[in-house]
Amino acid sequence: MKALILSNDKETKALIQRTCQVHQPALEIIQPLPGMQSDVGLITLNSPDVVVIDANGYGDKSLEIVASMTQKYPKAFFMLLSSDRSSEMLIEAMRLGVREVVALPIVLPDLQAALQRITEKISTTEKKEGKLLSFLSCKGGSGTTFIAANLAYALSALGRKRVLLIDLNQQFGDAALYVSDLKASLALSDVCNSVDRMDLNLLESSVLHVTPNFNILASSDQVENSADIHVDQFSSLLQFVRQHYDFTIMDLGRQINPINVRALDVSDFIYPIFQQSLPFLRNGRRLFEIFSALGYRQEKIQIVINRFESSASLDAAEYERVLGQRVAHRIPNNHEVVNESINQGLPVLQMARSSPITKSLVEWVNGLVDISTPSTTSLIRRIFVRNSAPLDLFR
Ligand SMILES: Nc1ncnc2c1ncn2[C@@H]1O[C@H](COP(=O)(O)OP(=O)(O)O)[C@@H](O)[C@H]1O
Ligand SMILES: [Mg+2]
């Protein structure tokens, strides 16, 4: 666990540091960036789990600083040290997300007890980093964008997760148009170039808000911007976004370039998208050789067959034999539903709730939500409870 301590008083700061270091489990102290004490607008990408703010050092501005820090580190636990014990101050601090208010001057057992409560809460909170999922086309037109965009929407709508879709097709990316009618003013390259001053506000203003919990970071439609992304900036961006979204879904298109390799490296799962024909299988075999050269574990790769027909001559067993692992997902072939959804820019889940394609996405979401949070109520049950009219998802 990492702690960030903001205090202008040397003695108070030293006392909190020592308390953090001898605490069980010990907290690692993150040093604020130079200038952070006076200008909390700066950010460290090394996110703290605990932020301790000594209100006295900041006078009237202390709650303002708390507000800006809780915005920057929405998943951190905040402790405020204050000599003001008025109920107005306590209520305002709690409203801003402060979990513990400790009186100044510090009484050591109080500080230790507050730290104990916070670390207990942290260890019982679910793992904080969101999952990264990469979708890669084995051949043009395999349905990668359709599946990535629709799975992203379904995860947000059914799984009640915060989801970000990143379009990594650096030219002619069209993922946003598959599930919305929104047009991006900022593209991935702009956001990567600003990553050094990234915070929640900047991120929020850079993404398309399809729904409150489904956002898209679109690709650039300016050809000259496409080569502008640096791998390290892209890595920092992913590190940042995974703290704010439960799932980040990346549409890689069909290129293996340095940015895409970085995306694949850090992904929890990679979904190569196949169709049932020999050219896909041949390309897929080459792709699997690349995965193996890159050292990826077999469980990280999840084979998807799109436009699946059980009557096709190349059946799933053939893919499993050639590629040496099981097919994870089959998305049925349905030209009419898919084209209507893409043409209208509406997710299939909205447009054709009872189609077999929707059913296969729901099953996929269910598997992902199960691995990310041990949910007590099954997703399927929630869908039926929430929608009083019966949904014919499984026809
Ligand atoms: N499950 C499906 N059933 C029928 N047609 C599909 C399906 N998935 C994709 N398609 C068709 O394939 C086309 C290409 O899909 P797209 O997602 O743009 O592929 P990619 O991103 O891999 O190039 C779509 O316009 C649609 O007509
Ligand atoms: Mg595409």
Side-chain angles (χ1 to χ4, degrees), residues 289-308:
E289 283 164 12
I290 296 174
F291 291 156
S292 144
L294 290 167
Y296 300 156
R297 293 171 292 113
Q298 215 183 36
E299 312 83 77
K300 176 164 162 166
I301 321 287
Q302 303 275 307
I303 300 173
V304 180
I305 303 184
N306 188 27
R307 308 193 71 166
F308 184 78

Side-chain angles (χ1 to χ4, degrees), residues 246-258:
D246 301 308
F247 287 91
T248 299
I249 291 194
M250 295 179 277
D251 174 4
L252 273 57
R254 55 177 303 212
Q255 283 193 348
I256 298 285
N257 56 32

Side-chain angles (χ1 to χ4, degrees), residues 5-176:
I5 303 164
L6 296 178
S7 171
N8 286 334
D9 183 75
K10 268 197 183 142
E11 271 177 36
T12 307
K13 190 170 181 179
L15 176 63
I16 305 167
Q17 278 196 6
R18 269 201 312 280
T19 313
C20 286
Q21 282 159 347
V22 300
H23 185 269
Q24 288 298 332
L27 284 97
E28 180 194 334
I29 307 295
I30 305 180
Q31 291 309 324
L33 290 173
M36 197 173 192
Q37 302 283 62
S38 52
D39 176 10
V40 284
L42 290 173
I43 188 171
T44 158
L45 280 176
N46 193 3
S47 287
D49 303 292
V50 182
V51 180
V52 183
I53 302 180
D54 171 0
N56 280 14
Y58 297 103
D60 291 347
K61 286 184 101 184
S62 58
L63 287 178
E64 224 174 275
I65 284 166
V66 171
S68 114
M69 296 301 280
T70 49
Q71 275 266 317
K72 282 196 170 65
Y73 302 118
K75 297 205 168 172
F77 285 75
F78 279 75
M79 185 192 295
L80 186 67
L81 310 178
S82 172
S83 47
D84 176 1
R85 305 288 289 166
S86 66
S87 53
E88 290 82 7
M89 198 287 294
L90 288 177
I91 290 168
E92 185 57 13
M94 293 296 174
R95 197 186 63 75
L96 292 173
V98 171
R99 298 297 185 102
E100 295 286 341
V101 179
V102 173
L104 280 172
I106 292 176
V107 176
L108 192 57
D110 289 351
L111 177 65
Q112 287 167 331
L115 208 54
Q116 181 64 25
R117 284 192 293 273
I118 284 187
T119 53
E120 273 169 16
K121 270 181 212 144
I122 293 174
S123 50
T124 53
T125 309
E126 59 182 284
K127 193 168 175 276
K128 281 188 285 168
E129 291 205 323
K131 301 256 174 242
L132 300 179
L133 314 180
S134 280
F135 289 72
L136 189 61
S137 177
C138 289
K139 202 175 150 335
S142 60
T144 307
T145 303
F146 170 75
I147 294 175
N150 276 279
L151 185 78
Y153 176 81
L155 258 173
S156 73
L158 302 176
R160 296 190 198 160
K161 298 291 170 189
R162 270 183 64 72
V163 182
L164 177 68
L165 172 66
I166 303 184
D167 190 347
L168 287 173
N169 290 282
Q170 288 177 32
Q171 283 174 17
F172 314 116
D174 51 2

